[in-house]
Amino acid sequence: MRFGKTMLVLCSLLVTACGGQSNSGRVFAPHYEPTTRSATIRFVGDVMQHKPQIDAAWQDGRYDYTSCFAPVATLLSEADLTIANLETTLRTTPPFSGYPLFAAPSELAAALADAGVDVALLANNHICDRGGKGLRSTIGILDSLGIAHTGAFADLPDYARNNPLSVKVGGFNIAIMNYTYGTNGMPTAKGTFVNRIDTTRIALDMQRARTADIRLVCIHWGQEYAQRPHKAERQLAEWLYQKGATAIIGGHPHVMQPVEIRSDRNGTTQGVTFYSLGNFVSNQIWEATDGGMVATLHFEQTDNQPLRITPSWEYVWVHKRYENGRLRYSVLPLHNHEQAVTDSTQWRLRRFERLSRKFSTADTVIVQ
């Protein structure tokens, strides 16, 4: 009798544990914990290398860019993924050169990697400056440093692997696509590939990326030094959203342009366009060119609820100055200078601070 009673108790417990109904008529549902995934992705603008920057990086018998990016290393590395527009080719040995045919030391990419850059965008108007050899050298250096890349490709296998570039961050499958308006008339070397702004091609890439949770379009477009996007860029942005883009990040003008947030009537963000992030680092010092935005997109999704996008941005400024008779460059976060700017460049810093206030709020577009 005692054995039979014990079996009855065990059966009752099993029924309850399985969410069944007990003899009392009470239903016990299993405990459910919602699953949330999140990712923070950061973007920096044009990484330029004019000849004075290359010369300034020569220190103690070698090229070293560490001090240039040290003030923003925390900003870049704390994101889950940081993406930079690399607007120069790379090589391991001289000769190096600036404008108009860019070729920078590989140490530039090494310093960017150390500072937290994970992905390099290569579709820009200078990627063919040194022909096929320069393009392949750039990709080889990035591969050796573990920096992912897209937009330009060394060969067909590279194109197949990295177009679109697929990464997994915070539980999201993310597709990164990168295109340029052109290559300054430089031909694309046989066997290599550079993504152009071609709507037929982009539509095919979007189709390939249809299973991605997030589709980022990084695009080299617009008019240099124009502080507003033209109608053509706005029309292309609209088309990209219709094809499935989640967010658009622009480069090339070398100055900042407005941020546009697409929102439905309930205030839910449907897409974010950074028309131009401006320069991340360069030798340019005239108005609006000596700094840019660092854009941040935070993505969050709970179970099958709609994806939530939270955009933000901050500003960086290039502190170009002389130290002990040598030219030096540092990229400084505008909100938190990690080194005091006490020299004769203060007026440029104040000028850039005033300019940044123009972009402190985003334009809003209501979409159905």
Side-chain angles (χ1 to χ4, degrees):
M1 293 293 291
R2 183 178 300 171
F3 177 77
K5 195 172 196 178
T6 302
M7 289 299 294
L8 284 172
V9 171
L10 287 172
C11 288
S12 177
L13 288 172
L14 284 170
V15 170
T16 302
C18 294
Q21 185 170 337
S22 71
N23 291 335
S24 66
R26 294 174 62 191
V27 176
F28 295 90
H31 181 66
Y32 173 73
E33 286 286 349
T35 301
T36 299
R37 51 183 176 169
S38 66
T40 299
I41 304 179
R42 202 150 272 165
F43 305 84
V44 306
D46 304 336
V47 177
M48 308 293 295
Q49 278 297 289
H50 298 94
K51 191 59 164 58
Q53 293 171 266
I54 297 171
D55 294 341
W58 181 257
Q59 302 178 44
D60 301 322
R62 64 190 182 97
Y63 288 98
D64 187 353
Y65 289 86
T66 304
S67 62
C68 181
F69 303 118
V72 289
T74 299
L75 176 66
L76 303 188
S77 61
E78 68 184 4
D80 296 311
L81 190 73
T82 296
I83 301 171
N85 180 36
L86 184 64
E87 201 158 349
T88 179
T89 63
L90 301 169
R91 52 188 301 155
T92 56
T93 58
F96 304 113
S97 58
Y99 182 83
L101 300 175
F102 290 100
S106 59
E107 287 83 356
L108 169 67
L112 288 168
D114 288 343
V117 170
D118 304 296
V119 178
L121 305 172
L122 301 179
N124 60 67
N125 58 310
H126 287 290
I127 189 59
C128 294
D129 279 3
R130 293 295 175 178
K133 185 176 180 180
L135 190 155
R136 293 188 185 97
S137 172
T138 301
I139 290 174
I141 289 166
L142 294 173
D143 284 341
S144 72
L145 294 168
I147 299 176
H149 48 83
T150 190
F153 311 93
D155 50 33
L156 192 57
D158 182 21
Y159 182 89
R161 283 192 308 271
N162 296 311
N163 184 58
L165 177 64
S166 179
V167 296
K168 190 161 187 174
V169 180
F172 291 108
N173 292 313
I174 299 170
I176 304 171
M177 291 161 271
N178 182 212
Y179 308 93
T180 179
Y181 73 91
T183 56
N184 290 347
M186 297 290 184
T188 302
K190 184 177 180 180
T192 67
F193 301 86
V194 177
N195 279 349
R196 306 298 181 102
I197 299 174
D198 177 332
T199 54
T200 300
R201 181 72 256 175
I202 295 172
L204 290 173
D205 291 343
M206 283 288 191
Q207 181 65 17
R208 290 183 65 191
R210 66 188 181 279
T211 59
D213 302 304
I214 297 167
R215 288 168 292 277
L216 304 175
V217 179
C218 303
I219 192 160
H220 210 71
W221 62 358
Q223 180 181 338
E224 288 184 304
Y225 314 116
Q227 294 185 28
R228 305 276 314 175
H230 289 180
K231 182 179 180 180
E233 286 89 72
R234 293 188 183 276
Q235 290 174 335
L236 179 55
E238 180 62 32
W239 181 86
L240 288 167
Y241 285 118
Q242 290 174 5
K243 291 299 178 182
T246 307
I248 301 168
I249 299 87
H252 175 62
H254 303 301
V255 295
M256 296 181 294
Q257 292 183 352
V259 182
E260 188 175 272
I261 296 176
R262 295 168 60 86
S263 176
D264 64 20
R265 297 190 182 281
N266 296 320
T268 302
T269 299
Q270 301 291 310
V272 182
T273 306
F274 291 90
Y275 280 100
S276 174
L277 298 181
N279 285 332
F280 180 63
V281 64
S282 77
N283 185 57
Q284 297 175 328
I285 61 171
W286 55 88
E287 186 174 11
T289 65
D290 53 347
M293 293 178 182
V294 174
T296 301
L297 293 173
H298 181 74
F299 300 97
E300 191 170 293
Q301 188 172 35
T302 301
D303 293 337
N304 294 319
Q305 296 298 310
L307 177 70
R308 295 188 295 277
I309 310 170
T310 305
S312 61
W313 57 97
E314 45 199 299
Y315 306 97
V316 292
W317 177 73
V318 182
H319 187 202
K320 175 184 176 182
R321 78 279 182 194
Y322 282 90
E323 289 181 0
N324 300 320
R326 294 290 307 276
L327 192 59
R328 292 287 181 257
Y329 298 80
S330 297
V331 182
L332 302 181
L334 201 62
H335 72 285
N336 180 25
H337 307 313
E338 296 195 18
Q339 68 182 82
V341 180
T342 59
D343 54 32
S344 59
T345 65
Q346 280 196 55
W347 69 273
R348 286 200 296 108
L349 172 60
R350 304 301 170 226
R351 181 184 66 183
F352 187 77
E353 286 178 329
R354 289 193 298 271
L355 175 70
S356 69
R357 296 188 194 110
K358 289 174 56 178
F359 302 96
S360 58
T361 57
D363 297 335
T364 301
V365 173
I366 303 298
V367 294
Q368 298 297 326

